[in-house]
């Protein structure tokens, strides 16, 4: 909970006192043996307030209260200009009812079957509700926010509503579809082999048969990535489809779609990383292991330099800051390194650097290979 304290801050009389120094506090505690923190947890809410100023720390809270206007109507009447302020039993009951609603959060509980209760759900629960006596009251989908969006998805698809393009016309495709033509023709007379026809649609063991066409691709796309599905893998997508639909070679179609899904190819790539990070060797003497980098983007000086070539000893942390130009190539950087560092400290055994083009050049690698110095590179985009 967050409270806006600007109003109370404006009316509080401010006082100032020096903050105790740590040394003074330790002197005060000298000789003490027992220390308590009983009131430490709730200390903020136990600050003493001057009598009569309690109203200053009151604050408002927001919580949805069903039928608030009806419950508060006796109290609203009292604030009207033409009504005399009389606090009676009606106002007291309204006040206590609102107080109870605001101070007691609603709790979820199992329904009491012996009593009448209200249930908000979507149409997918109708079969389960058949075992109970109930009265249905229709509620628009946009207002029925309690219903689970995931449970709506395949209910919507199975309902064959006009919202799904082409679903109303799949009845016409059965007779010309080479995969379902024979089964559809025989099932018009009587069911066979798990197939049957209902309301013009062909079903196999309770699952609607989908003839060839773009509707298959639509269903695969919807089950794999549509709405809240979250780009599931091949097996989970197939399990969603097999629960309500049937067509031959469903797995082949799902795997084909999965292989072309850009999001899956990016997130679920099978490319393995280069391997675990390898720590740098621990330096054990000065100027044997060094690291280097550049500081760029500096104002240009009168001598024309605009960057700093930084060389740090990994053992002593001593550093040399060498003025340079941003456009200096590997040969110029090597010249500066020998002039300012190698001349004073000798050749290093290892050099740690980033993957700048200067440090990856053939000249740089060949130079230090001839001198017996090992080049180590930090991870890409590593500070």
């Amino acid at each position: 909970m967050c409270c806006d304290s600007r109003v109370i801050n404006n009316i509080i009389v401010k006082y100032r006192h020096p903050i105790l120094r740590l040394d003074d506090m330790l002197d005060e505690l000298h000789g003490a043996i027992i220390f308590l923190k009983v009131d430490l947890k709730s200390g903020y809410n136990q600050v003493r307030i001057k009598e009569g100023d309690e109203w200053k720390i009151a604050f408002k809270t927001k919580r949805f209260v069903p039928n608030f206007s009806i419950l508060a109507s006796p109290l609203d009447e009292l604030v009207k200009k033409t009504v005399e302020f009389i606090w009676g039993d009606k106002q007291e009951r309204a006040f206590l009812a609102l107080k109870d609603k605001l101070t007691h959060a609603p709790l979820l509980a199992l329904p009491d079957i012996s009593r009448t209760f209200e249930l908000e759900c979507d149409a997918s629960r109708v079969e389960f509700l058949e075992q109970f006596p109930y009265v249905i009251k229709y509620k628009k989908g946009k207002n029925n926010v309690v219903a689970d969006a995931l449970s709506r998805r395949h209910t919507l698809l199975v309902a064959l509503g006009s919202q799904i393009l082409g679903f109303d016309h799949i009845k016409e495709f059965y007779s010309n579809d080479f995969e379902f033509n024979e089964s559809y023709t025989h099932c018009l007379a009587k069911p066979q082999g798990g197939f049957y026809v209902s309301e013009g649609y062909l079903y196999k063991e309770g699952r609607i048969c989908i003839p060839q066409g773009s509707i298959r691709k639509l269903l695969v796309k919807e089950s794999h990535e549509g709405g809240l599905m979250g780009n599931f893998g091949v097996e989970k997508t197939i399990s969603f489809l097999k629960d309500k639909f049937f067509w031959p070679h469903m797995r082949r179609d799902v795997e084909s779609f999965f292989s072309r899904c850009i999001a899956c190819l990016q997130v679920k790539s099978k490319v393995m990383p280069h391997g675990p990070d390898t720590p740098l060797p621990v330096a054990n003497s000065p100027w044997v292991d060094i690291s280097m980098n550049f500081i760029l983007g500096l104002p240009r000086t009168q001598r024309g330099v605009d960057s700093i070539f930084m060389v740090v000893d990994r053992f002593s942390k001593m550093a040399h800051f060498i003025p340079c130009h941003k456009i200096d190539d590997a040969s110029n950087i090597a010249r500066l390194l020998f002039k300012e560092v190698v001349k004073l400290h000798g050749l290093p055994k290892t050099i740690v650097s980033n993957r700048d083009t200067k440090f990856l050049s053939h000249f740089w690698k060949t130079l230090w290979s001839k001198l017996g110095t090992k080049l180590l590179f930090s991870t890409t985009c590593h500070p």
Side-chain angles (χ1 to χ4, degrees):
M1 181 177 62
C2 181
C3 299
D4 187 355
S5 302
R6 288 174 294 183
V7 177
I8 182 64
N9 289 338
N10 292 333
I11 62 176
I12 287 180
V13 178
K14 299 178 177 61
Y15 63 92
R16 296 175 176 86
H17 59 83
I19 299 176
L20 293 177
R21 296 172 62 250
L22 180 59
D23 294 340
D24 296 335
M25 296 176 63
L26 294 176
D27 291 341
E28 293 289 337
L29 295 175
H30 177 70
I33 301 176
I34 301 175
F35 304 93
L36 298 179
K37 56 177 182 179
V38 175
D39 298 329
L40 196 60
K41 180 178 179 182
S42 304
Y44 181 83
N45 295 318
Q46 294 178 357
V47 177
R48 185 176 300 175
I49 301 174
K50 181 181 177 182
E51 186 176 354
D53 286 348
E54 294 86 356
W55 63 271
K56 294 180 180 179
I57 62 170
F59 59 88
K60 295 186 295 183
T61 181
K62 294 182 178 179
R63 174 179 289 172
F64 174 74
V65 178
N67 304 318
F68 178 84
S69 59
I70 298 176
L71 292 174
S73 58
L75 304 178
D76 293 337
E77 292 292 328
L78 296 180
V79 298
K80 293 182 179 180
K81 294 182 179 180
T82 59
V83 177
E84 183 181 0
F85 187 90
I86 300 177
W87 189 273
D89 293 339
K90 184 186 296 185
Q91 287 75 20
E92 183 68 19
R93 287 195 300 269
F95 174 76
L96 294 177
L98 287 176
K99 181 180 178 181
D100 181 73
K101 296 284 187 181
L102 292 172
T103 56
H104 294 81
L107 300 177
L108 293 177
L110 294 174
D112 185 356
I113 305 299
S114 62
R115 302 174 60 184
T116 302
F117 59 90
E118 183 177 334
L119 174 67
E120 295 186 21
C121 65
D122 61 358
S124 63
R125 306 278 180 173
V126 172
E127 184 177 354
F128 172 76
L129 296 176
E130 289 294 338
Q131 55 185 311
F132 306 102
Y134 62 89
V135 176
I136 296 179
K137 291 185 179 181
Y138 174 71
K139 196 173 186 179
K140 289 185 178 180
K142 64 180 182 180
N143 297 328
N144 195 8
V145 295
V146 179
D148 186 3
L150 287 176
S151 67
R152 290 172 176 268
R153 175 164 307 283
H154 286 93
T155 303
L156 177 64
L157 297 177
V158 176
L160 309 177
S162 59
Q163 306 95 319
I164 307 300
L165 183 63
F167 242 133
D168 290 333
H169 304 288
I170 64 174
K171 305 174 186 178
E172 307 169 3
F173 300 152
Y174 288 129
S175 57
N176 298 322
D177 188 272
F178 74 93
E179 293 176 339
F180 294 119
N181 178 24
E182 184 176 354
S183 298
Y184 182 74
T185 304
H186 286 89
C187 288
L188 288 176
K190 63 176 181 178
Q192 66 169 15
F195 290 93
Y196 63 92
V197 175
S198 176
E199 298 182 1
Y201 296 99
L202 180 64
Y203 289 84
K204 178 177 174 59
E205 299 174 352
R207 298 173 294 165
I208 186 170
C209 299
I210 307 298
Q212 287 189 336
S214 60
I215 192 67
R216 290 185 179 179
K217 183 177 180 180
L218 172 64
L219 291 173
V220 174
K221 179 180 176 66
E222 190 73 7
S223 298
H224 175 63
E225 64 182 23
L228 301 176
M229 300 311 280
N231 288 78
F232 291 137
V234 174
E235 298 300 330
K236 202 161 189 178
T237 302
I238 292 176
S239 67
F240 273 115
L241 288 170
K242 283 187 175 181
D243 189 41
K244 301 293 182 181
F245 309 104
F246 171 80
W247 69 81
H249 311 297
M250 180 185 290
R251 174 175 290 275
R252 181 190 63 188
D253 295 342
V254 173
E255 291 177 346
S256 176
F257 181 87
F258 188 83
S259 64
R260 298 191 302 270
C261 178
I262 301 299
C264 294
L265 292 176
Q266 291 176 341
V267 178
K268 303 175 183 178
S269 174
K270 294 183 179 179
V271 178
M272 300 299 294
H274 296 290
D277 293 337
T278 303
L280 295 172
V282 179
N284 52 21
S285 57
W287 294 103
V288 173
D289 304 283
I290 65 174
S291 61
M292 57 183 61
N293 207 339
F294 294 97
I295 302 176
L296 305 176
L298 301 177
R300 189 181 300 275
T301 66
Q302 294 181 351
R303 296 172 53 190
V305 296
D306 57 0
S307 303
I308 295 177
F309 177 40
M310 182 174 60
V311 183
V312 180
D313 173 34
R314 294 183 51 236
F315 179 79
S316 64
K317 309 306 179 186
M318 178 181 175
H320 287 275
F321 299 92
I322 307 169
C324 65
H325 304 84
K326 183 179 180 180
I327 59 175
D328 284 344
D329 57 11
S331 60
N332 290 328
I333 297 301
R335 179 180 57 81
L336 292 175
L337 182 61
F338 275 88
K339 179 181 177 181
E340 303 291 342
V341 178
V342 176
K343 181 179 70 173
L344 300 175
H345 308 291
L347 286 170
K349 289 186 178 180
T350 63
I351 297 177
V352 181
S353 66
N354 59 15
R355 298 177 184 272
D356 192 288
T357 53
K358 300 179 182 64
F359 303 140
L360 295 176
S361 64
H362 176 72
F363 168 80
W364 186 267
K365 291 182 177 179
T366 304
L367 171 65
W368 295 108
S369 175
K370 296 293 185 181
L371 297 174
T373 299
K374 185 177 181 181
L375 299 179
L376 303 174
F377 299 99
S378 60
T379 306
T380 304
C381 300
H382 192 278

